[in-house]
PDB file of all heavy atoms in Angstrom:
ATOM      1  N   LEU A 378     121.823  81.363 112.520  1.00 98.00           N
ATOM      2  CA  LEU A 378     120.827  81.970 111.619  1.00 98.00           C
ATOM      3  C   LEU A 378     121.534  82.776 110.516  1.00 98.00           C
ATOM      4  O   LEU A 378     121.203  82.655 109.334  1.00 98.00           O
ATOM      5  CB  LEU A 378     119.875  82.863 112.411  1.00 98.00           C
ATOM      6  CG  LEU A 378     118.865  83.647 111.552  1.00 98.00           C
ATOM      7  CD1 LEU A 378     117.449  83.552 112.136  1.00 98.00           C
ATOM      8  CD2 LEU A 378     119.239  85.115 111.398  1.00 98.00           C
ATOM      9  N   ILE A 379     122.517  83.571 110.912  1.00 98.00           N
ATOM     10  CA  ILE A 379     123.199  84.432 109.925  1.00 98.00           C
ATOM     11  C   ILE A 379     123.901  83.560 108.872  1.00 98.00           C
ATOM     12  O   ILE A 379     123.835  83.845 107.677  1.00 98.00           O
ATOM     13  CB  ILE A 379     124.205  85.384 110.628  1.00 98.00           C
ATOM     14  CG1 ILE A 379     123.526  86.225 111.714  1.00 98.00           C
ATOM     15  CG2 ILE A 379     124.941  86.262 109.611  1.00 98.00           C
ATOM     16  CD1 ILE A 379     122.538  87.255 111.262  1.00 98.00           C
ATOM     17  N   HIS A 380     124.570  82.498 109.327  1.00 97.00           N
ATOM     18  CA  HIS A 380     125.244  81.601 108.372  1.00 97.00           C
ATOM     19  C   HIS A 380     124.244  81.008 107.375  1.00 97.00           C
ATOM     20  O   HIS A 380     124.517  80.930 106.175  1.00 97.00           O
ATOM     21  CB  HIS A 380     125.926  80.436 109.115  1.00 97.00           C
ATOM     22  CG  HIS A 380     127.286  80.765 109.641  1.00 97.00           C
ATOM     23  ND1 HIS A 380     127.503  81.647 110.658  1.00 97.00           N
ATOM     24  CD2 HIS A 380     128.512  80.314 109.295  1.00 97.00           C
ATOM     25  CE1 HIS A 380     128.795  81.732 110.919  1.00 97.00           C
ATOM     26  NE2 HIS A 380     129.433  80.923 110.096  1.00 97.00           N
ATOM     27  N   ARG A 381     123.106  80.568 107.896  1.00 98.00           N
ATOM     28  CA  ARG A 381     122.108  79.945 107.006  1.00 98.00           C
ATOM     29  C   ARG A 381     121.578  80.944 105.998  1.00 98.00           C
ATOM     30  O   ARG A 381     121.399  80.650 104.823  1.00 98.00           O
ATOM     31  CB  ARG A 381     120.940  79.394 107.841  1.00 98.00           C
ATOM     32  CG  ARG A 381     120.977  77.884 107.929  1.00 98.00           C
ATOM     33  CD  ARG A 381     119.793  77.349 108.689  1.00 98.00           C
ATOM     34  NE  ARG A 381     118.652  77.068 107.809  1.00 98.00           N
ATOM     35  CZ  ARG A 381     117.602  76.364 108.197  1.00 98.00           C
ATOM     36  NH1 ARG A 381     117.539  75.876 109.435  1.00 98.00           N
ATOM     37  NH2 ARG A 381     116.608  76.139 107.369  1.00 98.00           N
ATOM     38  N   ILE A 382     121.333  82.155 106.489  1.00 98.00           N
ATOM     39  CA  ILE A 382     120.796  83.187 105.584  1.00 98.00           C
ATOM     40  C   ILE A 382     121.874  83.582 104.566  1.00 98.00           C
ATOM     41  O   ILE A 382     121.583  83.819 103.401  1.00 98.00           O
ATOM     42  CB  ILE A 382     120.308  84.413 106.404  1.00 98.00           C
ATOM     43  CG1 ILE A 382     119.110  84.023 107.286  1.00 98.00           C
ATOM     44  CG2 ILE A 382     119.953  85.586 105.486  1.00 98.00           C
ATOM     45  CD1 ILE A 382     117.864  83.563 106.552  1.00 98.00           C
ATOM     46  N   GLU A 383     123.121  83.611 105.013  1.00 98.00           N
ATOM     47  CA  GLU A 383     124.182  83.940 104.048  1.00 98.00           C
ATOM     48  C   GLU A 383     124.237  82.902 102.926  1.00 98.00           C
ATOM     49  O   GLU A 383     124.348  83.249 101.751  1.00 98.00           O
ATOM     50  CB  GLU A 383     125.550  84.030 104.720  1.00 98.00           C
ATOM     51  CG  GLU A 383     126.603  84.279 103.639  1.00 98.00           C
ATOM     52  CD  GLU A 383     128.006  84.495 104.139  1.00 98.00           C
ATOM     53  OE1 GLU A 383     128.674  83.504 104.480  1.00 98.00           O
ATOM     54  OE2 GLU A 383     128.430  85.647 104.168  1.00 98.00           O
ATOM     55  N   LYS A 384     124.152  81.630 103.310  1.00 98.00           N
ATOM     56  CA  LYS A 384     124.179  80.567 102.288  1.00 98.00           C
ATOM     57  C   LYS A 384     123.060  80.781 101.282  1.00 98.00           C
ATOM     58  O   LYS A 384     123.250  80.638 100.073  1.00 98.00           O
ATOM     59  CB  LYS A 384     123.974  79.206 102.971  1.00 98.00           C
ATOM     60  CG  LYS A 384     125.246  78.445 103.156  1.00 98.00           C
ATOM     61  CD  LYS A 384     124.954  76.973 103.394  1.00 98.00           C
ATOM     62  CE  LYS A 384     126.180  76.335 104.000  1.00 98.00           C
ATOM     63  NZ  LYS A 384     125.887  75.422 105.087  1.00 98.00           N
ATOM     64  N   PHE A 385     121.908  81.123 101.813  1.00 98.00           N
ATOM     65  CA  PHE A 385     120.742  81.339 100.954  1.00 98.00           C
ATOM     66  C   PHE A 385     120.999  82.508  99.984  1.00 98.00           C
ATOM     67  O   PHE A 385     120.769  82.398  98.782  1.00 98.00           O
ATOM     68  CB  PHE A 385     119.512  81.611 101.831  1.00 98.00           C
ATOM     69  CG  PHE A 385     118.268  81.891 101.048  1.00 98.00           C
ATOM     70  CD1 PHE A 385     117.564  80.864 100.430  1.00 98.00           C
ATOM     71  CD2 PHE A 385     117.799  83.195 100.901  1.00 98.00           C
ATOM     72  CE1 PHE A 385     116.416  81.128  99.688  1.00 98.00           C
ATOM     73  CE2 PHE A 385     116.662  83.470 100.164  1.00 98.00           C
ATOM     74  CZ  PHE A 385     115.967  82.427  99.558  1.00 98.00           C
ATOM     75  N   LEU A 386     121.517  83.607 100.526  1.00 98.00           N
ATOM     76  CA  LEU A 386     121.779  84.780  99.672  1.00 98.00           C
ATOM     77  C   LEU A 386     122.873  84.466  98.645  1.00 98.00           C
ATOM     78  O   LEU A 386     122.737  84.791  97.468  1.00 98.00           O
ATOM     79  CB  LEU A 386     122.191  85.985 100.525  1.00 98.00           C
ATOM     80  CG  LEU A 386     121.107  86.585 101.419  1.00 98.00           C
ATOM     81  CD1 LEU A 386     121.696  87.684 102.303  1.00 98.00           C
ATOM     82  CD2 LEU A 386     119.952  87.150 100.597  1.00 98.00           C
ATOM     83  N   ASN A 387     123.934  83.816  99.109  1.00 98.00           N
ATOM     84  CA  ASN A 387     125.036  83.480  98.194  1.00 98.00           C
ATOM     85  C   ASN A 387     124.549  82.574  97.062  1.00 98.00           C
ATOM     86  O   ASN A 387     124.950  82.734  95.909  1.00 98.00           O
ATOM     87  CB  ASN A 387     126.180  82.779  98.937  1.00 98.00           C
ATOM     88  CG  ASN A 387     126.955  83.719  99.864  1.00 98.00           C
ATOM     89  OD1 ASN A 387     127.780  83.279 100.655  1.00 98.00           O
ATOM     90  ND2 ASN A 387     126.697  85.017  99.797  1.00 98.00           N
ATOM     91  N   ALA A 388     123.662  81.646  97.408  1.00 98.00           N
ATOM     92  CA  ALA A 388     123.133  80.722  96.390  1.00 98.00           C
ATOM     93  C   ALA A 388     122.355  81.487  95.321  1.00 98.00           C
ATOM     94  O   ALA A 388     122.170  81.005  94.209  1.00 98.00           O
ATOM     95  CB  ALA A 388     122.243  79.671  97.047  1.00 98.00           C
ATOM     96  N   HIS A 389     121.882  82.675  95.692  1.00 98.00           N
ATOM     97  CA  HIS A 389     121.155  83.509  94.728  1.00 98.00           C
ATOM     98  C   HIS A 389     122.041  84.631  94.176  1.00 98.00           C
ATOM     99  O   HIS A 389     121.546  85.631  93.647  1.00 98.00           O
ATOM    100  CB  HIS A 389     119.901  84.102  95.377  1.00 98.00           C
ATOM    101  CG  HIS A 389     118.859  83.059  95.640  1.00 98.00           C
ATOM    102  ND1 HIS A 389     118.914  82.206  96.721  1.00 98.00           N
ATOM    103  CD2 HIS A 389     117.763  82.695  94.934  1.00 98.00           C
ATOM    104  CE1 HIS A 389     117.894  81.378  96.683  1.00 98.00           C
ATOM    105  NE2 HIS A 389     117.173  81.649  95.607  1.00 98.00           N
ATOM    106  N   GLY A 390     123.330  84.471  94.357  1.00 98.00           N
ATOM    107  CA  GLY A 390     124.273  85.425  93.765  1.00 98.00           C
ATOM    108  C   GLY A 390     124.380  86.748  94.511  1.00 98.00           C
ATOM    109  O   GLY A 390     124.866  87.737  93.961  1.00 98.00           O
ATOM    110  N   ARG A 391     123.931  86.769  95.767  1.00 98.00           N
ATOM    111  CA  ARG A 391     124.005  88.027  96.533  1.00 98.00           C
ATOM    112  C   ARG A 391     124.964  87.873  97.712  1.00 98.00           C
ATOM    113  O   ARG A 391     125.303  86.766  98.112  1.00 98.00           O
ATOM    114  CB  ARG A 391     122.619  88.417  97.062  1.00 98.00           C
ATOM    115  CG  ARG A 391     121.543  88.479  96.003  1.00 98.00           C
ATOM    116  CD  ARG A 391     121.881  89.448  94.887  1.00 98.00           C
ATOM    117  NE  ARG A 391     120.799  89.443  93.913  1.00 98.00           N
ATOM    118  CZ  ARG A 391     119.793  90.304  93.918  1.00 98.00           C
ATOM    119  NH1 ARG A 391     119.742  91.260  94.829  1.00 98.00           N
ATOM    120  NH2 ARG A 391     118.845  90.227  92.994  1.00 98.00           N
ATOM    121  N   LYS A 392     125.331  89.036  98.283  1.00 98.00           N
ATOM    122  CA  LYS A 392     126.243  89.035  99.424  1.00 98.00           C
ATOM    123  C   LYS A 392     125.546  89.579 100.664  1.00 98.00           C
ATOM    124  O   LYS A 392     124.749  90.509 100.567  1.00 98.00           O
ATOM    125  CB  LYS A 392     127.459  89.923  99.108  1.00 98.00           C
ATOM    126  CG  LYS A 392     128.483  89.197  98.251  1.00 98.00           C
ATOM    127  CD  LYS A 392     129.470  90.144  97.637  1.00 98.00           C
ATOM    128  CE  LYS A 392     130.598  90.533  98.566  1.00 98.00           C
ATOM    129  NZ  LYS A 392     131.659  91.266  97.811  1.00 98.00           N
ATOM    130  N   LEU A 393     125.905  88.986 101.790  1.00 98.00           N
ATOM    131  CA  LEU A 393     125.274  89.404 103.045  1.00 98.00           C
ATOM    132  C   LEU A 393     126.049  90.568 103.667  1.00 98.00           C
ATOM    133  O   LEU A 393     127.268  90.554 103.751  1.00 98.00           O
ATOM    134  CB  LEU A 393     125.237  88.223 104.012  1.00 98.00           C
ATOM    135  CG  LEU A 393     124.590  88.461 105.376  1.00 98.00           C
ATOM    136  CD1 LEU A 393     123.822  87.204 105.824  1.00 98.00           C
ATOM    137  CD2 LEU A 393     125.585  88.859 106.448  1.00 98.00           C
ATOM    138  N   LEU A 394     125.282  91.561 104.087  1.00 98.00           N
ATOM    139  CA  LEU A 394     125.827  92.705 104.806  1.00 98.00           C
ATOM    140  C   LEU A 394     125.067  92.783 106.129  1.00 98.00           C
ATOM    141  O   LEU A 394     123.842  92.600 106.148  1.00 98.00           O
ATOM    142  CB  LEU A 394     125.577  93.955 103.951  1.00 98.00           C
ATOM    143  CG  LEU A 394     126.031  95.332 104.420  1.00 98.00           C
ATOM    144  CD1 LEU A 394     127.534  95.376 104.676  1.00 98.00           C
ATOM    145  CD2 LEU A 394     125.669  96.392 103.368  1.00 98.00           C
ATOM    146  N   GLY A 395     125.786  93.000 107.224  1.00 98.00           N
ATOM    147  CA  GLY A 395     125.086  93.051 108.515  1.00 98.00           C
ATOM    148  C   GLY A 395     125.802  93.941 109.501  1.00 98.00           C
ATOM    149  O   GLY A 395     127.007  94.222 109.357  1.00 98.00           O
ATOM    150  N   TRP A 396     125.073  94.412 110.516  1.00 98.00           N
ATOM    151  CA  TRP A 396     125.674  95.216 111.594  1.00 98.00           C
ATOM    152  C   TRP A 396     126.696  94.369 112.344  1.00 98.00           C
ATOM    153  O   TRP A 396     126.657  93.133 112.275  1.00 98.00           O
ATOM    154  CB  TRP A 396     124.579  95.725 112.545  1.00 98.00           C
ATOM    155  CG  TRP A 396     123.548  96.595 111.873  1.00 98.00           C
ATOM    156  CD1 TRP A 396     122.228  96.281 111.678  1.00 98.00           C
ATOM    157  CD2 TRP A 396     123.728  97.910 111.318  1.00 98.00           C
ATOM    158  NE1 TRP A 396     121.587  97.310 111.037  1.00 98.00           N
ATOM    159  CE2 TRP A 396     122.474  98.324 110.804  1.00 98.00           C
ATOM    160  CE3 TRP A 396     124.817  98.776 111.210  1.00 98.00           C
ATOM    161  CZ2 TRP A 396     122.287  99.569 110.185  1.00 98.00           C
ATOM    162  CZ3 TRP A 396     124.627 100.012 110.598  1.00 98.00           C
ATOM    163  CH2 TRP A 396     123.382 100.397 110.101  1.00 98.00           C
ATOM    164  N   ASP A 397     127.569  95.028 113.112  1.00 97.00           N
ATOM    165  CA  ASP A 397     128.764  94.315 113.578  1.00 97.00           C
ATOM    166  C   ASP A 397     128.494  93.213 114.599  1.00 97.00           C
ATOM    167  O   ASP A 397     129.396  92.426 114.908  1.00 97.00           O
ATOM    168  CB  ASP A 397     129.842  95.295 114.070  1.00 97.00           C
ATOM    169  CG  ASP A 397     129.409  96.139 115.250  1.00 97.00           C
ATOM    170  OD1 ASP A 397     128.824  95.604 116.196  1.00 97.00           O
ATOM    171  OD2 ASP A 397     129.686  97.355 115.231  1.00 97.00           O
TER     172      ASP A 397
END
Side-chain angles (χ1 to χ4, degrees):
L378 175 134
I379 304 292
H380 276 68
R381 254 183 90 167
I382 295 297
E383 176 176 78
K384 259 199 198 137
F385 178 76
L386 291 175
N387 289 170
H389 290 79
R391 307 302 180 95
K392 279 165 82 170
L393 181 143
L394 180 58
W396 300 113
D397 62 45

